[in-house]
Amino acid sequence: MAQNTSNYKLSAAAGNLRYNDILPYKVESGGVTREFLQKVIDVLLDFVNDTNDRNEKILDFHHPEEMQKLLDLQVPNEGVSLQQLVHDCATTLKYQVKTGHPRFFNQLSCGLDLVSMAGEWLTATANTNMFTYEIAPVFILMENVVMTHMREIIGKNWVNGDSILAPGGSISNLYAFLAARHKMFPNYKEKGIATIQGQLVMFTSDQSHYSVKSCASVCGLGTDNCVMVASDEQGRMIPSELERLVVERKNRGHIPFFVAVTAGTTVLGAFDPINEIADICEKYGMWLHVDAAWGGGLLLSKKNRNPRLLGVERADSVTWNPHKLMGALLQCSTIHFKEDGLLMSCNQMSADYLFMQDKLYDIKYDTGDKVIQCGRHNDIFKLWLQWRAKGDHGFEEHMDRLLELTDFMVKRIRDQPDKFYLILEPELVNVSFWYIPTRLRRMPHSPSREQELGKMCPILKARMMQTGTLMVGYQPDDRRPNFFRNIISSAAVTEKDIDFLLNEMDRLGHDL
Ligand SMILES: *Cc1c(COP(=O)(O)O)cnc(C)c1O
């Protein structure tokens, strides 16, 4: 049961103390310090229990103005007591959406993997920066081991490549772009845009993640020079269209240099045909990047990796977010390169005060100069610990289970054609569908019914949030009005939860 936020009582002796009565201010305060932290941990553990309790609501929704009234968010002039801090922690979680709840199907990152969470707690406590071996020796070595292992999984010919963890898949995609441009125009780093005689052009599908297009604006191409290639009905890039557009740009004197295919598109979960696109990249001398931020997890499944990711080893770079399908805690995103050395030569600035060449140890372990950040958060420990716990095998089972649950959901939707309309056969765990309220059940399916069904989505979603029993996302795309996109990427979900989901949509929406 949800705890009352005033339940977390410190002892009378500790309650009125303040921040400077505990460590590091008071050396003799080990007991009170421990009591305070234990109480905060009680708050966290109760949140973990509530998250996994199907009788608990996913969220307690309030509009922003109302929420502001419920919370005391002011940062005061004089600090508050330890007791108040514990209450503040409890109140914060009371109004937080439980993204690990078994009925939270709203986002690509769902679920609360407890081993990964334990890792994140340790990371917070170690509180170190990842730029040098000097201050993060164990974490740097872990990063090395896990990144090498991930590259091995991408392909045998990747072992001697290079990788880095980035703050999100969007930035991982940016690293791929930067490395590709650096490889083709090594003088760009020093001489800038003038070294490139002609307009650089990049290509991606009209279903790709918007961060790919954002590379074009951030890096000076302009979004008009990120060419959006048409996709087929399933949402997969059409290779012949890509080739046509590359030739068209070449004929205009432009320089096509970068193709970003998507392995698991964000909305439909589609996989672009990598092999056919790799042929085109080879033919025209373009860098091939695979954005597998979403679908990358399937590389761990012998059964499900092919045909979806066939040809991935032919890419030059791969984005892969463990914080999505693999369930690592936010954030955990990786970018991998087949060729070693590019990250360093592209991004190195050799800051004298961090990356001295005359250090005690082998400075190849100072990874900080490979990135465009200075400080880097430790995102490896939670992934390493999770991988220790699951092994390759555990991850494989997790991937296969998510797809099995997706098949189950598709079957249940098909079993109830009066109430649900499946938009396409999913390749990943994204299930795209409409819910059909009673008054539209007799209407033959047509564009005008789709318009009506689209109008239902925000209303039904609002009802879900107000009841707090279910969260499923919706969006329009360029082919259809609003539709629901359900994501199964949480280890908490079972077949019963999927039946609950469909019944609950009907309960909340039948009268619309
Ligand atoms: C989620 C996603 C991204 C962006 O990842 P973030 O970690 O949210 O920045 C990029 N590409 C695809 C295909 C995605 O699904």
Side-chain angles (χ1 to χ4, degrees):
M1 270 305 289
Q3 305 294 314
N4 188 325
T5 54
S6 58
N7 281 356
Y8 301 98
K9 282 264 188 293
L10 293 171
S11 65
N16 288 322
L17 299 179
R18 296 181 50 218
Y19 75 99
N20 50 4
D21 295 310
I22 56 174
L23 289 174
Y25 298 90
K26 284 249 165 72
V27 178
E28 305 284 289
S29 67
V32 182
T33 303
R34 188 168 279 260
E35 182 184 341
F36 168 65
L37 291 176
Q38 292 278 6
K39 204 53 87 177
V40 173
I41 288 172
D42 284 346
V43 172
L44 302 184
L45 295 179
D46 285 337
F47 182 77
V48 169
N49 279 338
D50 289 350
T51 290
N52 286 283
D53 182 348
R54 288 174 172 77
N55 296 318
E56 283 294 326
K57 293 211 278 182
I58 303 170
L59 79 166
D60 182 3
F61 178 80
H62 300 278
H63 287 284
E65 308 85 69
E66 202 189 328
M67 187 69 105
Q68 225 137 34
K69 290 191 193 121
L70 290 169
L71 303 171
D72 172 13
L73 300 179
Q74 297 312 310
V75 281
N77 191 36
E78 295 301 321
V80 302
S81 67
L82 296 180
Q83 181 63 71
Q84 183 58 47
L85 295 178
V86 172
H87 287 326
D88 288 348
C89 291
T91 311
T92 301
L93 287 182
K94 177 173 158 64
Y95 295 107
Q96 171 51 32
V97 178
K98 297 181 187 74
T99 58
H101 195 288
R103 274 96 190 242
F104 180 85
F105 301 93
N106 204 68
Q107 236 69 51
L108 302 189
S109 300
C110 306
L112 182 61
D113 184 292
L114 292 185
V115 173
S116 186
M117 186 189 79
E120 192 74 333
W121 287 4
L122 184 145
T123 296
T125 310
N127 190 33
T128 198
N129 208 314
M130 290 295 285
F131 41 45
T132 57
Y133 178 85
E134 187 171 331
I135 58 165
V138 183
F139 299 127
I140 292 280
L141 294 181
M142 274 172 183
E143 195 168 88
N144 229 336
V145 169
V146 177
M147 292 307 103
T148 305
H149 190 54
M150 288 177 85
R151 285 198 308 276
E152 229 165 45
I153 291 168
I154 293 170
K156 290 275 172 286
N157 53 340
W158 281 65
V159 181
N160 297 320
D162 196 8
S163 314
I164 200 78
L165 285 113
S170 306
I171 306 297
S172 290
N173 287 339
L174 179 63
Y175 277 118
F177 177 101
L178 293 174
R181 185 175 59 185
H182 179 72
K183 171 85 178 162
M184 199 172 279
F185 302 97
N187 291 328
Y188 180 91
K189 183 178 177 183
E190 281 88 22
K191 307 293 175 213
I193 193 82
T195 55
I196 303 177
Q197 306 293 316
Q199 178 63 57
L200 284 186
V201 189
M202 61 192 283
F203 300 82
T204 193
S205 90
D206 57 12
Q207 302 291 311
S208 70
H209 190 265
Y210 65 89
S211 59
V212 174
K213 187 170 170 184
S214 132
C215 293
S217 81
V218 172
C219 301
L221 269 60
T223 50
D224 288 353
N225 296 303
C226 177
V227 179
M228 306 310 245
V229 182
S231 53
D232 65 16
E233 274 304 306
Q234 286 286 318
R236 297 175 292 218
M237 187 195 286
I238 302 171
S240 58
E241 269 303 288
L242 170 65
E243 181 159 19
R244 184 181 70 76
L245 290 162
V246 169
V247 170
E248 186 196 285
R249 288 295 187 130
K250 273 183 115 57
N251 290 342
R252 283 158 65 180
H254 293 177
I255 311 170
F257 84 112
F258 183 82
V259 178
V261 309
T262 315
T265 60
T266 310
V267 176
L268 299 176
F271 286 79
D272 291 344
I274 303 175
N275 264 324
E276 288 168 65
I277 294 169
D279 291 342
I280 296 170
C281 287
E282 277 170 19
K283 183 165 165 193
Y284 296 95
M286 299 181 290
W287 178 285
L288 175 59
H289 174 61
V290 175
D291 178 1
W294 178 218
L298 292 194
L299 290 166
L300 294 154
S301 163
K302 286 187 273 305
K303 182 167 137 206
N304 288 302
R305 138 178 204 146
N306 297 331
R308 295 173 179 84
L309 285 138
L310 265 178
V312 64
E313 71 288 345
R314 294 176 64 190
D316 297 291
S317 53
V318 173
T319 291
W320 175 357
N321 277 6
H323 73 222
K324 287 186 172 170
L325 269 189
M326 291 164 73
L329 260 65
L330 286 161
Q331 280 186 331
C332 194
S333 172
T334 63
I335 171 74
H336 307 274
F337 295 92
K338 194 189 278 165
E339 181 176 332
D340 190 15
L342 278 178
L343 267 179
M344 191 60 102
S345 73
C346 177
N347 299 319
Q348 181 173 42
M349 294 291 153
S350 308
D352 294 334
Y353 72 98
L354 273 177
F355 308 116
M356 296 75 80
Q357 303 296 301
D358 48 5
K359 288 191 181 182
L360 166 67
Y361 53 86
D362 181 350
I363 54 165
K364 80 164 192 262
Y365 291 96
D366 282 355
T367 52
D369 219 10
K370 288 185 188 177
V371 292
I372 57 176
Q373 304 169 255
C374 170
R376 209 152 51 83
H377 186 255
N378 172 2
D379 291 329
I380 191 61
F381 185 73
K382 61 193 165 199
L383 176 60
W384 177 83
L385 198 68
Q386 193 190 17
W387 218 311
R388 290 279 284 182
K390 283 186 149 63
D392 293 346
H393 187 124
F395 270 130
E396 176 165 37
E397 278 184 345
H398 181 48
M399 293 305 123
D400 293 346
R401 172 72 178 143
L402 295 177
L403 287 177
E404 181 182 275
L405 284 165
T406 306
D407 287 346
F408 178 83
M409 178 163 181
V410 167
K411 177 176 174 303
R412 280 293 200 256
I413 285 179
R414 288 230 165 88
D415 289 346
Q416 306 174 69
D418 53 327
K419 294 182 186 164
F420 299 97
Y421 184 94
L422 184 72
I423 293 173
L424 48 80
E425 187 71 40
E427 287 185 86
L428 192 50
V429 298
N430 313 41
V431 181
S432 305
F433 66 101
W434 280 293
Y435 168 70
I436 308 165
T438 313
R439 75 179 166 89
L440 296 172
R441 286 182 191 161
R442 293 258 167 90
M443 191 177 178
H445 198 77
S446 67
S448 71
R449 185 164 93 147
E450 291 187 358
Q451 289 301 327
E452 281 301 300
L453 294 173
K455 286 184 210 151
M456 303 294 108
C457 294
I459 309 174
L460 182 46
K461 175 67 183 270
R463 290 184 180 181
M464 290 180 202
M465 290 180 63
Q466 271 148 354
T467 18
T469 48
L470 183 65
M471 281 181 78
V472 181
Y474 72 87
Q475 68 289 294
D477 68 8
D478 43 17
R479 298 201 179 123
R480 43 189 87 79
N482 285 329
F483 58 99
F484 285 104
R485 176 204 66 169
N486 191 75
I487 298 295
I488 303 173
S489 79
S490 164
V493 176
T494 65
E495 281 81 357
K496 285 208 177 82
D497 295 310
I498 289 165
D499 280 332
F500 173 87
L501 150 79
L502 298 175
N503 292 337
E504 186 70 357
M505 286 184 89
D506 189 35
R507 185 180 77 87
L508 296 172
H510 65 92
D511 63 333
L512 284 174

